[in-house]
Amino acid sequence: MSTGQGEFIVEGGHRLKGEITPQGAKNEALQILCAVLLTEEKVTIHNIPNIIDVMKLIDILKDFGVKVKKIGEGSFEFIAKDVNIDHLQTEEYSQKASKLRGSIMVLGPLLARFGKGKIPKPGGDKIGRRRLDTHFLGFKTLGAKFDYTKDGFFKIDATDLHGSYILLDEPSVTGTANVIMAAVMAKGKTTLYNAACEPYIQQLCKMLNRMGANITGHGSNLLTIEGVERLGGTTHTMLPDMIEIGSFIGLAAMTQSEITIKNCRIDELGQIPTVFKRLGIQMEFRGDDIFIPAQDSYQLDRFIDGSILTVADGPWPLFTPDLLSIVLVTAIQAKGTVLVHQKMFESRLFFVDKLIDMGAQIILNDPHRATVIGMNRQSNLKGIRMSSPDIRAGVALLIAALSAEGTSVISNIDQIDRGYQDIEGRLKALGAKIERR
C-alpha cells in the first residue's frame, strides 16, 4: 500500500497499451468488512483492495479485538469472537474513526450484536455536506435510543431492537448497509423501503444470507428482513471496482490508447458502459473483459431531438456520481458538447478550474453543473502544477495530466491513494510516465 505522502510527476502525451485489472471494490469493502462484527465465527474475504481507507478500517477492527490473518494477496480471515466493546470509549478509537467516513458502518453490527454503540463524527472526502441522519433515523425506528453528547460523540442504546417499517429519507448506500446490519438480528420483520440497491448492497445481502440472515428483495429498493438469533461464518469474494473500470475507459479515450480491462463483471456495471459509449468511446466485450481500441477521435452523442447531451448522476441504477468527474475530463477531447450535472453532491465540480488552467474549454455554470466544449484534438492540454481535492477528482486530474503536453505535478496524492491501489505501478505497466516523490 502506498503511503500517500508526496506528489506525482506525470509526463503526458504518451499512448498506453496493455492489460489492467481493476482492484476489489472500495465501497463494497467498507461495508463487507464491518459485517464481520456480526458473528464470532470465521469470515474469509477475497479481493480486498490494498488502499488506505480499507487498511484503516481493518486496523480499527483489530483494535476491537478482531483477529485478522492475511492468507494471500487480497485475502484475509477475520474472527470477531472476543470483541472489546469498551474500545468505543477510547481516545484512540475516536481519533481513528473521525478520519475515516466508512467507520460509521461499524455501528449497525455493534448495535445488532451488543446492543450499544458510540462513534465520533466521521471524516472523509470534502465534497459538501453528507448527512448521517439516514443512519440514525433507521436505528431509531428499530427501537434504538441515541444521543449526541457534548464531547462530540453519537451514543446509541440498542438493547431492544425490533423489526419495523422503515422508509429511508434518501437511498443512502452506507445508510442502507448500516440499517440492514442492525436489523438482521432484531426481533421480528423489518421492511426497508427506498433502500439503496447498488451491486455493493446486493453483495452485502448475499453475504449476510450465507451467514444465516433472512433478507429478500435485494436488487430492488424494497427489502424485507426477518430477524434471526445469530449469524455464522462465511466466505465472500468482492466485486471489481466499477469506478476504476470507468476511470480506465476514460483514460484509454483521453490518451488514445489500446487497453484491455480484465475481469470486469460486466453484468454488474449497470449504465457505466452505456454512458461512455454515448461519449463516443468504442469498446468490445470479450468474455468478461472490456477492450478499448486506440481512437484518434470520439464524438459525443446527442439526444434524439438534436439537443446537447446531458450526463447526470443518481442513485443506482442511475449513473454513479463517482464517475462524473471522469466523464467530465474525458469529454475535454471529444467532438461536441456535453452538460455534466452533479446532482447528488455539492462542490464536487470545483476541480474544473485546474482543467481550465490546462487549456480545457469548460464553463462552470454553478456548483452542480459544468458544460464541456470538446476540443476534438484541435489543441492539447498543457501540463501544470495542481493539487488533488478528493479521490475521484484526483484521478480525473491524473487522466488529464497523462493526456497533456509536457509535465504535470499533482500534490495531495494521499487522496488518490485512499481509493486506488498502486495506481502509478499499474499505469507504468501500460507505458505511462509517472513517478512518485
Side-chain angles (χ1 to χ4, degrees):
M1 180 183 63
S2 304
T3 62
Q5 301 301 312
E7 52 195 16
F8 283 142
I9 315 300
V10 183
E11 183 186 301
H14 299 281
R15 292 195 182 205
L16 313 180
K17 188 166 184 176
E19 296 181 346
I20 192 164
T21 302
Q23 67 192 22
K26 167 185 180 276
N27 289 342
E28 178 184 341
L30 298 177
Q31 57 202 41
I32 292 294
L33 288 171
C34 291
V36 306
L37 291 166
L38 283 164
T39 178
E40 59 180 33
E41 295 182 19
K42 182 172 72 178
V43 177
T44 304
I45 305 176
H46 301 297
N47 204 26
I48 295 176
N50 185 9
I51 55 178
I52 288 176
D53 278 13
V54 170
M55 294 303 140
K56 277 183 180 176
L57 185 56
I58 290 176
D59 192 39
I60 288 173
L61 292 175
K62 287 179 181 175
D63 290 343
F64 275 108
V66 179
K67 289 185 170 56
V68 180
K69 179 183 177 185
K70 187 171 183 178
I71 55 172
E73 188 59 42
S75 297
F76 290 80
E77 289 178 353
F78 300 87
I79 300 176
K81 187 174 183 181
D82 301 310
V83 176
N84 176 20
I85 195 77
D86 293 332
H87 180 65
L88 287 166
Q89 315 289 343
T90 65
E91 180 63 26
E92 181 187 20
Y93 172 72
S94 175
Q95 287 186 354
K96 288 184 179 180
S98 65
K99 292 174 184 171
L100 178 66
R101 186 159 196 91
S103 64
I104 186 69
M105 282 181 289
V106 303
L107 268 188
L110 291 177
L111 297 183
R113 189 168 158 202
F114 301 103
K116 60 181 176 178
K118 186 177 181 184
I119 192 166
K121 279 189 172 180
D125 277 345
K126 290 180 171 60
I127 52 172
R129 189 165 168 270
R130 296 170 82 175
R131 297 181 298 111
L132 297 174
D133 305 48
T134 305
H135 303 248
F136 297 125
L137 290 171
F139 296 152
K140 204 171 181 179
T141 310
L142 291 171
K145 299 177 179 69
F146 78 93
D147 187 28
Y148 183 59
T149 58
K150 290 179 182 176
D151 57 359
F153 274 82
F154 292 110
K155 185 179 178 184
I156 306 181
D157 169 22
T159 47
D160 182 30
L161 288 187
H162 47 264
S164 183
Y165 172 81
I166 302 173
L167 176 59
L168 293 182
D169 65 333
E170 61 175 0
S172 157
V173 176
T174 54
T176 299
N178 231 345
V179 173
I180 289 170
M181 290 188 283
V184 285
M185 290 193 282
K187 298 183 190 75
K189 182 171 85 171
T190 297
T191 304
L192 188 59
Y193 201 19
N194 197 28
C197 48
E198 267 78 357
Y200 307 141
I201 293 290
Q202 297 174 42
Q203 286 281 95
L204 175 66
C205 291
K206 290 171 187 174
M207 173 186 174
L208 293 174
N209 281 345
R210 287 197 305 274
M211 293 168 72
N214 185 352
I215 306 168
T216 54
H218 46 84
S220 76
N221 66 353
L222 180 61
L223 300 176
T224 304
I225 304 165
E226 295 279 357
V228 297
E229 287 193 5
R230 64 179 299 278
L231 296 178
T234 191
T235 298
H236 181 80
T237 300
M238 298 202 311
L239 292 174
D241 195 305
M242 66 172 78
I243 312 305
E244 272 215 339
I245 294 166
S247 301
F248 297 148
I249 295 171
L251 169 70
M254 276 292 276
T255 57
Q256 299 171 284
S257 300
E258 180 185 298
I259 294 176
T260 300
I261 310 167
K262 302 291 289 180
N263 307 327
C264 292
R265 284 300 300 272
I266 293 166
D267 57 316
E268 298 281 7
L269 292 178
Q271 292 194 17
I272 291 170
T274 308
V275 168
F276 282 102
K277 283 178 181 176
R278 295 206 79 177
L279 299 183
I281 300 168
Q282 296 170 25
M283 64 184 79
E284 296 173 23
F285 296 158
R286 297 178 172 178
D288 204 26
D289 302 340
I290 299 177
F291 172 73
I292 316 288
Q295 285 181 254
D296 289 331
S297 66
Y298 46 101
Q299 183 160 350
L300 297 171
D301 202 357
R302 284 178 173 264
F303 287 123
I304 290 170
D305 64 359
S307 58
I308 290 171
L309 180 69
T310 298
V311 178
D313 61 336
W316 189 273
L318 301 179
F319 190 65
T320 172
D322 283 347
L323 278 173
L324 274 189
S325 55
I326 307 298
V327 165
L328 188 146
V329 82
T330 304
I332 290 171
Q333 287 295 4
K335 181 180 181 182
T337 301
V338 62
L339 177 68
V340 177
H341 190 172
Q342 170 66 268
K343 295 178 180 178
M344 292 178 68
F345 300 109
E346 58 207 31
S347 70
R348 255 197 176 179
L349 296 179
F350 288 162
F351 77 100
V352 301
D353 60 340
K354 301 172 182 70
L355 298 174
I356 293 167
D357 289 345
M358 296 177 81
Q361 301 289 298
I362 302 172
I363 302 161
L364 185 59
N365 305 336
D366 55 48
H368 290 276
R369 296 179 303 154
T371 303
V372 186
I373 298 102
M375 298 193 293
N376 194 28
R377 314 277 180 204
Q378 298 304 306
S379 60
N380 292 320
L381 297 180
K382 303 289 187 289
I384 64 167
R385 174 175 284 275
M386 48 195 163
S387 176
S388 168
D390 66 65
I391 299 177
R392 308 308 175 190
V395 170
L397 295 174
L398 181 56
I399 291 170
L402 287 163
S403 75
E405 275 181 13
T407 300
S408 296
V409 180
I410 305 174
S411 59
N412 199 29
I413 58 173
D414 60 321
Q415 287 289 350
I416 298 174
D417 289 332
R418 282 181 49 217
Y420 293 81
Q421 173 180 321
D422 186 27
I423 188 68
E424 77 271 23
R426 290 189 290 155
L427 292 177
K428 283 163 88 167
L430 295 174
K433 307 292 186 187
I434 174 173
E435 297 296 335
R436 178 188 293 264
R437 74 174 181 196

